[in-house]
Amino acid sequence: MPPTKNPIWDHFLASEKQNAAHIRAHCRGCIEKCRPAGSIVELDDEGNSKLSSESWVVEACKADVGGVLGVKASMVAHILGGKNPCPNASSAARKTAKAVKKGKGKRERDDSSSESDNQSTKKPAKKKLLTKVETSMKQSHLKVFRGIQVPFTSEQEEIVREQFLRATISANLPFRWVEDPEVMVLFLLFRSTAGDVMPSRKEIAGQLLDNADTALMKWLKIALRGGYAVMASDGWKDESRNAVNGVNLSVGGKTYLIDLILATAHKKDGASMCTAFEGMIDRAEDAYGVVIVAFCCDNDGGSQRGRKDLVLKRPWLFGPPCCAHQFQLILGEYFTVNKEAAETAEEATSVIGWILNHGRVRSVFDEMQAEISVPPGKVLAYLAANMTRWTTHFVAFDRLDNVKDPLRRTVISRKQDLISAQVGAEKNRQKKQKLEDEAVAHCEIIDDGGFWHRLKSVVDDLEPICLGLNMNQTDAMRPDQALLTFAGIFLYFQKHSKPEVAVGMTTRIEKRWKALDQPMFVLALVLNPFEGVSRFGDKAAVSPFTLNMILLETYHRVCSRPPKVPRSEDEKQVYDVLQLTNEREVSESFLSYLSGTGVFEDWEKNKEIFQRVNGDNPITMWKAFLRTPATAELANFAILLLSMSVNQAGLERSFSDLKIKKTRLRNRLKLTKLEKMAKVGADIRTSQKAAGLVEDRAKRQNHEKARVAELLAVPRYADLLEDAGETAEDEEPSKCPSGLVKSREGWRKEMAKWVQEEQERSDDDNDELANRVYGHKRSKWLPRSLDLLFAGRKETDIDQQMRRIRRQQAYMEEARLMELLVDEEADEERIPDDGELEGSGDDFDG
């Protein structure tokens, strides 16, 4: 029998005696190589292969496969072998041989077969800890067991190590988690050789993370090459108060974080920002091979001026501000214009803060909620507005309106209980009186029916702003969709019951629309085959030739991008001729598109079927026309416009992810490593969704489905919400309590800050910018106000207009004379009826 006390025998089989004192030993790894194909592998209780009972094992032993003298020195020499180690020995066999060679109790925890490792006298900290953990598992008083002893192949080891990185990033675990003793024990319970493949924290944060980032960069360069991209940039401050600029690319409705730049010492003036933006664009185009067609950022002083200077230097680029940010400012402008709404918001915020800050008071209200709620016992939480989360104002006030009945019932029936709960055990007379006065004041607000009427009005006004804001912060928000949201919010406030609010809000919304690159937005809407010109009102004075001129101006602007290698004089002449031909083809195709003739004639007939089968994404339709030579150039230009994203919400979500990764406890995390973690983490989440491993978070139902279509006058807003992906509202809420507003003073302070920001971010007159980009001979149809574009009778009512005209044409001459006689005798200041147009419209002479 072999000496069972020596662990080297775990990797050898005992055979017949070689001499009087020793037996022959055969290497398990060498014998395993002789296993016949298709044979069943049986494991013993320790997870090792059963070899002695197999017939082919006996034959291999007779052939002296892997045979050595059954002594420690010979078996160790066979496995380690100096310059010729056994190629079939497992990593566990090599480690055992090294431990035996060094002596009892001196095992080295390194799976490398290199002799240079044997010469090292210092063990890595992680290996020392693993040895202690394995030793502790052998102690009799611990009720643990070791997993099966099956060694890992090199391929399996690589997969396991990569998975450790993915698990670390996906679960946002600190790198040191792999060196936690309890984690080591956990993995050793599954497999006793787990320690051989578990990486250290330095390996995860170093080589493994670098390899994953390199592989991701390689894939992105292939996936993004040649695509139209919108670049977005914004600033963020980390836990260490370092200023960081994030750079984001939006391609095909998906966003990708590509760079984080330490900008603490950078200048923030317009010229410096423009230079920085140019560098960002050049690096992205060189690294990823994308075609940057637009640059998007917010309207902070330096960023706004830098974006305008960028468009002047590179007129082939569009420079829209973040439309989601524009709606945030519209929210602040609403409270600036509507003083009564601001006062009501202060009162509502004060009530919410009073309830949330006094637990005993809240419990009294909760008891009434549970008593009268359906189903019984259901208690709704009280929500506070957070200034860093754009739509929480509507959500907080809407929730307060929902609990109006239990709050008022409580004040009516249990007012004294509320006062007693507020005062508590306070003995000081002055403080007690102050607490009583505070409780009475809030009870009076709750009992005031006028307060709830005003609050309902505020909620109704905030809801369309909230809806437009949510839509404008989706990754795939196209310019045509953004224009419809601006038109919808304009038309909503144009019909507001308070004239001063209607005038103030429409004026401010018009100002924000004027600051946008109007040709880009209008052409995107016109080139949407499901919309066309159907949304324009009768005051728009739109004609095919006007739109054609705007299209050619914008097309010429986009095509003015210079080549990376300057053209020679001959090449310039050839290019000019080709460009003129392309412009002619684009013009002819666009006029055919507007009139629904030529290749577009069948589109009008089959549009509904196409939409039912392929959806309402206009890019799908234009891709079909890329294959037609006559329309290929127009289709390519339409795809360029319709593939743009006009917000930086994806970058804001990246910042939310960075806040989770770089916390107060991890504020020494370097920016380069943080960037790699963010990129790899985003790729992991994308792959998990594609594989169906995670479910999308259910969208918040902030708006009743029945009301969505009525909130804004321009249709299809509900469709935009249904197609929207994760928004910035779905991110984890900020844990900083300063963002929650729970008092009148806090609300007033934030409103004053908002007013100041609105004044600082007011856009200058853009006529100079438009003249320099499009030329002084540009079409005078744009800029055009939202009132002229979308107010008045819609083109969709054209059938009614034609019926009215036909009725007028059918009138007899006598009927016309009778009407004229009536008009002469009637009051000159009479109000025309609904079907009559002032001017020459009703005097049409067929």
Side-chain angles (χ1 to χ4, degrees):
M1 293 294 293
T4 56
K5 292 184 179 181
N6 198 322
I8 196 67
W9 278 100
D10 293 342
H11 308 286
F12 285 85
L13 288 179
S15 183
E16 298 178 353
K17 280 195 173 185
Q18 182 170 341
N19 52 45
H22 303 93
I23 59 177
R24 192 72 175 167
H26 299 273
C27 175
R28 282 179 172 266
C30 295
I31 293 179
E32 192 68 37
K33 278 290 183 180
C34 300
R35 178 183 293 276
S39 62
I40 299 175
V41 179
E42 296 182 8
L43 301 178
D44 57 19
D45 294 338
E46 296 181 356
N48 298 318
S49 302
K50 292 182 179 180
L51 299 178
S52 57
S53 62
E54 301 286 343
S55 59
W56 60 270
V57 175
V58 177
E59 296 297 328
C61 292
K62 290 182 178 179
D64 201 31
V65 174
V68 295
L69 183 64
V71 295
K72 177 179 68 174
S74 299
M75 291 188 285
V76 170
H78 173 81
I79 294 176
L80 299 180
K83 295 182 179 180
N84 298 308
C86 177
N88 304 317
S90 65
S91 59
R94 289 194 297 270
K95 285 194 290 291
T96 302
K98 291 174 186 178
V100 171
K101 184 177 180 180
K102 286 198 166 192
K104 184 177 180 181
K106 296 183 179 181
R107 298 179 63 190
E108 184 178 71
R109 303 302 310 179
D110 193 350
D111 59 353
S112 173
S113 60
S114 172
E115 283 191 343
S116 60
D117 291 342
N118 295 336
Q119 298 172 1
S120 176
T121 59
K122 185 178 179 180
K123 298 180 182 178
K126 183 254 178 182
K127 299 300 181 182
K128 290 182 178 178
L129 180 60
L130 180 60
T131 302
K132 293 180 180 180
V133 170
E134 291 180 335
T135 302
S136 69
M137 295 180 68
K138 297 178 182 179
Q139 299 175 11
S140 58
H141 66 278
L142 294 178
K143 297 181 179 180
V144 296
F145 59 90
R146 295 176 64 87
I148 59 174
Q149 187 177 2
V150 179
F152 291 88
T153 65
S154 57
E155 181 180 2
Q156 291 173 336
E157 180 177 353
E158 182 179 355
I159 293 174
V160 171
R161 290 165 65 85
E162 291 178 355
Q163 190 58 38
F164 264 97
L165 170 70
R166 293 178 65 87
T168 303
I169 300 298
S170 179
N172 193 37
L173 298 172
F175 295 126
R176 67 178 183 276
W177 80 281
V178 293
E179 296 183 357
D180 186 279
E182 298 302 324
V183 173
M184 291 182 174
V185 171
L186 175 64
F187 285 105
L188 290 173
L189 292 178
F190 289 107
R191 202 156 170 175
S192 60
T193 55
D196 303 338
V197 296
M198 288 179 62
S200 65
R201 63 179 181 86
K202 290 185 177 180
E203 290 175 320
I204 293 180
Q207 180 184 2
L208 292 176
L209 182 60
D210 293 342
N211 292 344
D213 179 67
T214 302
L216 178 59
M217 285 287 293
K218 184 178 180 181
W219 177 83
L220 280 178
K221 290 179 179 180
I222 297 174
L224 303 183
R225 181 164 298 278
Y228 294 129
V230 177
M231 176 174 284
S233 177
D234 198 6
W236 168 69
K237 283 196 174 182
D238 62 10
E239 190 69 26
S240 304
R241 308 307 298 168
N242 294 318
V244 178
N245 281 346
V247 184
N248 191 74
L249 284 183
S250 176
V251 181
K254 298 180 180 179
T255 60
Y256 305 91
L257 178 68
I258 62 170
D259 201 5
L260 291 178
I261 303 170
L262 184 62
T264 305
H266 291 185
K267 296 181 179 179
K268 304 298 190 295
D269 59 283
S272 300
M273 297 297 288
C274 178
T275 303
F277 294 158
E278 289 184 292
M280 296 173 188
I281 293 173
D282 293 338
R283 287 193 297 271
E285 290 185 335
D286 292 339
Y288 297 96
V290 294
V291 180
I292 306 293
V293 297
F295 187 89
C296 179
C297 63
D298 58 26
N299 272 351
D300 288 339
S303 298
Q304 179 184 4
R305 185 69 258 173
R307 188 183 69 247
K308 290 184 177 181
D309 291 345
L310 175 68
V311 175
L312 291 175
K313 285 185 176 182
R314 303 186 179 191
W316 56 89
L317 293 176
F318 297 103
C322 176
C323 290
H325 188 69
Q326 296 299 305
F327 263 79
Q328 180 195 11
L329 296 178
I330 290 175
L331 178 63
E333 289 170 341
Y334 170 75
F335 289 112
T336 303
V337 170
N338 194 342
K339 301 299 183 182
E340 183 182 78
E343 294 175 359
T344 303
E346 286 185 18
E347 292 178 333
T349 303
S350 179
V351 170
I352 295 172
W354 176 60
I355 296 175
L356 290 177
N357 292 332
H358 299 84
R360 294 183 61 192
V361 172
R362 185 169 68 251
S363 64
V364 177
F365 284 117
D366 289 347
E367 290 174 5
M368 181 61 70
Q369 270 203 70
E371 181 180 339
I372 68 174
S373 62
V374 179
K378 182 178 181 180
V379 176
L380 297 178
Y382 307 93
L383 307 178
N386 189 324
M387 287 297 174
T388 64
R389 291 167 62 83
W390 298 342
T391 59
T392 55
H393 307 83
F394 163 72
V395 176
F397 297 156
D398 186 52
R399 173 58 60 84
L400 183 63
D401 184 63
N402 291 338
V403 297
K404 175 183 68 174
D405 290 342
L407 292 184
R408 298 193 70 183
R409 288 195 184 191
T410 305
V411 169
I412 294 173
S413 61
R414 302 183 61 181
K415 183 176 181 179
Q416 191 58 45
D417 292 342
L418 292 173
I419 297 175
S420 300
Q422 167 84 356
V423 174
E426 181 60 52
K427 301 298 183 182
N428 185 282
R429 186 176 62 181
Q430 293 181 348
K431 292 182 179 180
K432 183 177 180 181
Q433 185 62 45
K434 183 177 180 181
L435 292 173
E436 288 181 358
D437 293 343
E438 181 183 357
V440 170
H442 286 100
C443 287
E444 290 177 352
I445 294 176
I446 295 174
D447 193 35
D448 182 11
F451 163 74
W452 294 105
H453 177 75
R454 296 191 302 272
L455 180 64
K456 179 60 177 176
S457 177
V458 172
V459 170
D460 290 342
D461 288 344
L462 292 184
E463 188 167 10
I465 302 177
C466 171
L467 179 60
L469 178 55
N470 281 335
M471 290 185 291
N472 273 281
Q473 58 188 6
T474 58
D475 288 339
M477 189 64 178
R478 304 189 307 266
D480 58 306
Q481 296 170 324
L483 174 55
L484 290 179
T485 58
F486 276 96
I489 198 66
F490 173 84
L491 294 176
Y492 174 85
F493 280 106
Q494 190 181 51
K495 298 178 292 185
H496 200 277
S497 58
K498 296 181 179 179
E500 66 276 10
V501 175
V503 173
M505 289 302 296
T506 53
T507 301
R508 291 167 183 262
I509 295 170
E510 288 280 20
K511 186 177 181 180
R512 301 214 167 273
W513 162 240
K514 186 179 179 181
L516 301 180
D517 196 331
Q518 292 192 12
M520 179 190 81
F521 287 87
V522 170
L523 285 176
L525 180 61
V526 173
L527 288 172
N528 183 342
F530 302 103
E531 299 290 353
V533 297
S534 63
R535 302 300 179 227
F536 294 133
D538 59 333
K539 296 192 296 184
V542 62
S543 72
F545 302 104
T546 301
L547 292 175
N548 184 59
M549 181 179 293
I550 297 172
L551 175 83
L552 291 177
E553 291 171 352
T554 310
Y555 177 77
H556 182 76
R557 170 188 172 185
V558 171
C559 294
S560 65
R561 180 190 297 265
K564 292 186 177 180
V565 179
R567 301 185 183 96
S568 63
E569 291 298 327
D570 294 339
E571 290 175 336
K572 286 182 180 179
Q573 293 179 1
V574 173
Y575 175 79
D576 291 340
V577 173
L578 178 62
Q579 187 63 20
L580 185 61
T581 303
N582 289 339
E583 290 181 3
R584 187 181 300 112
E585 290 180 354
V586 168
S587 177
E588 293 174 355
S589 301
F590 184 64
L591 291 174
S592 298
Y593 165 75
L594 291 177
S595 60
T597 59
V599 294
F600 297 99
E601 185 175 1
D602 289 341
W603 164 252
E604 291 298 328
K605 300 176 182 177
N606 302 289
K607 179 166 61 176
E608 294 183 1
I609 299 176
F610 183 92
Q611 184 176 5
R612 186 172 66 251
V613 175
N614 300 288
D616 59 356
N617 188 343
I619 296 179
T620 307
M621 173 269 196
W622 283 111
K623 285 182 178 180
F625 282 99
L626 281 173
R627 296 187 288 271
T628 305
T631 59
E633 195 65 22
L634 176 63
N636 185 59
F637 180 67
I639 292 173
L640 183 149
L641 290 177
L642 293 168
S643 62
M644 288 193 295
S645 177
V646 289
N647 62 50
Q648 53 189 24
L651 193 56
E652 296 292 346
R653 281 191 289 277
S654 296
F655 289 158
S656 297
D657 181 56
L658 296 178
K659 288 180 182 179
I660 296 174
K661 287 179 167 54
K662 186 167 184 177
T663 62
R664 178 178 59 84
L665 300 177
R666 305 178 72 183
N667 64 353
R668 294 179 61 187
L669 204 58
K670 298 297 183 183
L671 192 61
T672 53
K673 186 172 295 184
L674 185 64
E675 178 185 333
K676 294 175 182 178
M677 293 169 60
K679 291 179 181 178
V680 173
D683 181 64
I684 291 174
R685 287 191 295 272
T686 302
S687 63
Q688 289 174 343
K689 287 184 179 180
L693 299 178
V694 294
E695 296 181 359
D696 288 337
R697 181 179 295 180
K699 298 179 179 62
R700 293 174 179 169
Q701 298 297 329
N702 291 338
H703 317 279
E704 296 179 7
K705 292 184 178 180
R707 268 183 54 81
V708 168
E710 303 173 0
L711 287 176
L712 302 172
V714 181
R716 298 221 167 103
Y717 286 176
D719 296 339
L720 295 182
L721 272 189
E722 292 173 1
D723 295 336
E726 289 185 358
T727 65
E729 291 296 319
D730 290 331
E731 300 299 333
E732 289 296 326
S734 172
K735 294 184 179 180
C736 180
S738 61
L740 298 179
V741 184
K742 301 180 181 179
S743 65
R744 291 175 178 265
E745 294 74 14
W747 179 268
R748 197 173 295 115
K749 178 180 178 181
E750 291 298 333
M751 286 309 306
K753 180 181 177 183
W754 243 341
V755 172
Q756 182 180 0
E757 287 182 355
E758 192 278 330
Q759 293 174 348
E760 293 176 351
R761 296 177 180 183
S762 295
D763 290 296
D764 300 328
D765 188 9
N766 278 5
D767 287 345
E768 179 186 358
L769 177 63
N771 287 334
R772 292 181 61 180
V773 171
Y774 291 99
H776 287 278
K777 295 183 179 181
R778 64 189 175 91
S779 170
K780 299 303 180 182
W781 190 71
L782 291 177
R784 206 163 190 80
S785 68
L786 291 169
D787 180 54
L788 292 177
L789 285 175
F790 297 100
R793 188 168 57 245
K794 301 291 186 299
E795 290 294 328
T796 51
D797 300 331
I798 190 66
D799 293 337
Q800 298 180 10
Q801 298 180 42
M802 293 304 296
R803 285 195 296 270
R804 185 179 301 112
I805 292 173
R806 284 194 291 269
R807 287 199 304 270
Q808 292 172 341
Q809 290 174 331
Y811 282 165
M812 295 183 300
E813 187 67 23
E814 291 82 1
R816 290 202 198 94
L817 292 174
M818 292 177 64
E819 289 182 354
L820 291 174
L821 289 172
V822 173
D823 287 341
E824 288 180 1
E825 297 177 0
D827 186 359
E828 295 180 356
E829 296 182 356
R830 69 180 179 84
I831 300 175
D833 61 70
D834 293 339
E836 180 180 350
L837 294 176
E838 295 184 358
S840 60
D842 278 349
D843 297 331
F844 178 80
D845 191 354

